[in-house]
Amino acid sequence: MKADLHMHSTVSDGSDSIEQLIDQAEEKGLDAIAITDHDTLSHLQQMPASANISVIGGVELSASHRKTGTKAHVLGYGIKKPEIVMALTLPMLEARNRRSEEQAGILIKSGYDIDLSKIGRADGKYLYKQHIMDWLYKTGQVTELFGRFYENTFKNGGICDFDIEYIDVFDAVRAIKEAGGLAVLAHAGQQRNFWLVPDLCELGLDGLELNHPSNSAEDKRTISSLADCFGLFLTGGSDYHGRFGQEPFGVGDILSAASGAEVVNN
């Protein structure tokens, strides 16, 4: 089975629609994909009635370890009670929208032309910084989506370099489990949070994301060892965001490890 179990659509911070993601997956000859939009399960109601491949609705919860501030994203699959997860994430979605609108306001005051009534939004509701950059790029006010302007404005102490408070990683795993889903720690190599695995397992963590663009060979050895030690399955995927992503990876270019079939069959 060829499965890409991590990608994002226009329901969150991806540039491609769910239908476009499915078309690309079919062209690549995949058997299954998972749409894991950030902090929402709205896309569960937007899945096509039929497709030539298995299309799974998942979620990626933006979380952190409160005591240390370490980021820890958690993927959720097979959610049976989405209202449990959404009760946790809705305040964060609204906070992200307020933050992004504040960032847009700062840029407007700095002389940039931004029309908030016309700018794209996630699920038609929530503004992300990617949408701001997309507007600036399309209107010719910047020369590239994620170049020097982005790095100097939204990062590195720039005028729009401020973030929201993420949900607690332990609450994220609890919510996924209470909602009847499978909880998987995403791209641990990227966020250097391997040390969280034992405590997360006590809450019911089911798996680890092995194959991801940001996981190095050494990271994968660590992840595999942790999976063996705690009896976790392994997944993987491209983490595709379309042109809103900064890495040159397409749908299906990175596939799940074999034991990730548990997600597809759940």
Side-chain angles (χ1 to χ4, degrees):
M1 179 181 291
K2 294 170 63 178
D4 184 338
L5 300 179
H6 190 167
M7 63 183 66
H8 302 275
S9 78
T10 52
V11 177
S12 66
D13 61 344
S15 67
D16 297 354
S17 68
I18 292 172
E19 291 76 14
Q20 289 173 320
L21 294 176
I22 293 171
D23 288 344
Q24 292 172 63
E26 290 178 348
E27 289 175 3
K28 291 285 184 69
L30 302 189
D31 300 298
I33 61 172
I35 312 294
T36 53
D37 278 313
H38 284 285
D39 309 315
T40 183
L41 286 162
S42 173
H43 50 290
L44 294 184
Q45 308 302 319
Q46 303 178 39
M47 295 297 186
S50 62
N52 295 322
I53 62 174
S54 178
V55 183
I56 301 160
V59 66
E60 182 175 10
L61 300 186
S62 306
S64 67
H65 182 256
R66 287 283 167 78
K67 289 185 178 180
T68 64
T70 303
K71 290 185 178 180
H73 289 190
V74 183
L75 294 160
Y77 302 98
I79 303 295
K80 308 297 189 300
K81 299 176 181 178
E83 65 275 8
I84 293 176
V85 174
M86 289 302 295
L88 181 65
T89 61
L90 183 57
M92 186 165 56
L93 285 172
E94 293 173 341
R96 180 181 286 119
N97 184 67
R98 289 193 298 271
R99 176 211 61 185
S100 297
E101 290 191 343
E102 184 178 351
Q103 290 171 325
I106 290 171
L107 291 172
I108 291 170
K109 289 180 180 179
S110 298
Y112 292 92
D113 179 16
I114 299 175
D115 188 338
L116 288 175
S117 70
K118 296 180 180 178
I119 198 167
R121 291 174 184 258
D123 206 19
K125 302 176 183 177
Y126 305 111
L127 189 66
Y128 279 71
K129 59 188 175 184
Q130 287 89 341
H131 301 121
I132 298 173
M133 288 301 308
D134 191 43
W135 171 270
L136 294 173
Y137 178 72
K138 285 181 175 178
T139 55
Q141 298 178 74
V142 298
T143 58
E144 51 188 338
L145 274 175
F146 300 110
R148 181 175 298 176
F149 175 86
Y150 175 78
E151 292 295 326
N152 292 338
T153 302
F154 290 92
K155 295 181 180 294
N156 302 311
I159 58 175
C160 294
D161 183 12
F162 52 93
D163 211 342
I164 60 172
E165 183 177 7
Y166 286 177
I167 60 176
D168 182 80
V169 64
F170 299 119
D171 290 339
V173 173
R174 287 190 191 99
I176 291 170
K177 299 306 296 181
E178 289 174 10
L182 299 171
V184 174
L185 183 64
H187 43 64
Q190 180 185 83
Q191 297 174 328
R192 316 311 300 170
N193 53 27
F194 305 109
W195 54 275
L196 283 171
V197 172
D199 288 340
L200 295 178
C201 284
E202 291 185 6
L203 298 175
L205 186 72
D206 298 286
L208 300 173
E209 187 174 45
L210 176 69
N211 297 330
H212 184 275
S214 67
N215 285 340
S216 68
E218 179 60 30
D219 293 334
K220 290 180 179 181
R221 285 190 286 272
T222 300
I223 290 167
S224 296
S225 177
L226 286 167
D228 288 340
C229 181
F230 292 98
L232 307 173
F233 62 76
L234 296 167
T235 68
S238 61
D239 200 357
Y240 179 73
H241 288 75
R243 57 193 179 82
F244 289 171
Q246 299 183 57
E247 298 292 344
F249 297 100
V251 169
D253 286 351
I254 296 177
L255 299 174
S256 174
S259 60
E262 185 163 345
V263 170
V264 180
N265 297 326
N266 182 52

